[in-house]
Amino acid sequence: SLILITLGTIGNCISVLVFFTTKLRKLSSSFYLAALAISDTGFLIALFVAWLNSFGVPLFNTAGICKMNTYLQYVCSFLSAWLVVAFTVERFIAVRYPLRRPSMCTVARAKIVLASLTVLAICLYIPSMWMAKIETHDNRPVCGLNDEFKYLAQVINHVDFVLTFILPFFMIAMLNAWI
């Protein structure tokens, strides 16, 4: 687990450097792939914080970290799914409408899509911060589900399942089939 987190984070950091420090920075698709690497790294960091807990480093079981970790996992998983969709839309345009690609697949448009997806994710998952709270089990703090917001947690989880799995899956499958 630590090996995957470490290698994934290193690989993602190298990818971002390659996309932004070479001639690839002029391609809109590089912005989607760099953003995907950043989002995946955010998820890996959240996973690492939770993983530390099993080795006696209770960082995850502090109030602020518990809430932010839950939030970060939701935001990053949403972004990762929709960044793949955005990249697939670009591929679709490039293959199906190659003459329109230069005017449609621009770096400026990619930045607008990235900013829009990021703002949407940040706003959409704010309620998830209320779902997590520190409870005491065996005189130890534990990050858990806030019972007051159980219904909210169910709603968010169902909406999240549709938004990060069902819709992206069908959109990517449909676009790839059309390609």
Side-chain angles (χ1 to χ4, degrees), residues 95-116:
V95 171
R96 292 293 299 247
Y97 307 102
L99 298 177
R100 291 186 184 174
R101 188 198 62 74
S103 63
M104 293 180 74
C105 301
T106 65
V107 170
R109 186 165 285 151
K111 288 178 180 178
I112 291 168
V113 170
L114 291 172
S116 300

Side-chain angles (χ1 to χ4, degrees), residues 87-154:
F87 179 77
T88 306
V89 168
E90 274 224 345
R91 278 186 41 241
F92 172 77
I93 292 167
V95 171
R96 292 293 299 247
Y97 307 102
L99 298 177
R100 291 186 184 174
R101 188 198 62 74
S103 63
M104 293 180 74
C105 301
T106 65
V107 170
R109 186 165 285 151
K111 288 178 180 178
I112 291 168
V113 170
L114 291 172
S116 300
L117 285 173
T118 303
V119 168
L120 177 63
I122 287 169
C123 294
L124 188 64
Y125 290 103
I126 285 174
S128 70
M129 286 203 256
W130 291 299
M131 293 177 2
K133 88 170 196 182
I134 299 297
E135 300 173 335
T136 304
H137 291 288
D138 298 328
N139 291 327
R140 291 185 358 206
V142 176
C143 182
L145 178 64
N146 188 341
D147 288 334
E148 295 176 42
F149 296 103
K150 245 183 191 167
Y151 179 74
L152 175 64
Q154 288 176 335

Side-chain angles (χ1 to χ4, degrees), residues 48-58 60-61:
F48 178 70
V49 169
W51 178 82
L52 282 175
N53 198 48
S54 59
F55 286 93
V57 181
F60 182 59
N61 294 327

Side-chain angles (χ1 to χ4, degrees), residues 16-108:
V16 171
L17 284 174
V18 168
F19 288 128
F20 287 145
T21 61
T22 66
K23 63 183 178 181
L24 292 174
R25 73 180 170 276
K26 296 177 183 173
L27 301 173
S28 56
S29 57
S30 294
F31 280 80
Y32 292 119
L33 294 174
L36 179 61
I38 292 167
S39 176
D40 287 348
T41 301
F43 191 86
L44 288 171
I45 289 168
L47 187 64
F48 178 70
V49 169
W51 178 82
L52 282 175
N53 198 48
S54 59
F55 286 93
V57 181
L59 188 61
F60 182 59
N61 294 327
T62 58
I65 302 292
C66 171
K67 289 179 181 295
M68 283 308 297
N69 213 48
T70 302
Y71 179 69
L72 186 62
Q73 287 178 15
Y74 276 112
V75 168
C76 290
S77 63
F78 174 90
L79 285 174
S80 292
W82 285 100
L83 290 169
V84 173
V85 171
F87 179 77
T88 306
V89 168
E90 274 224 345
R91 278 186 41 241
F92 172 77
I93 292 167
V95 171
R96 292 293 299 247
Y97 307 102
L99 298 177
R100 291 186 184 174
R101 188 198 62 74
S103 63
M104 293 180 74
C105 301
T106 65
V107 170

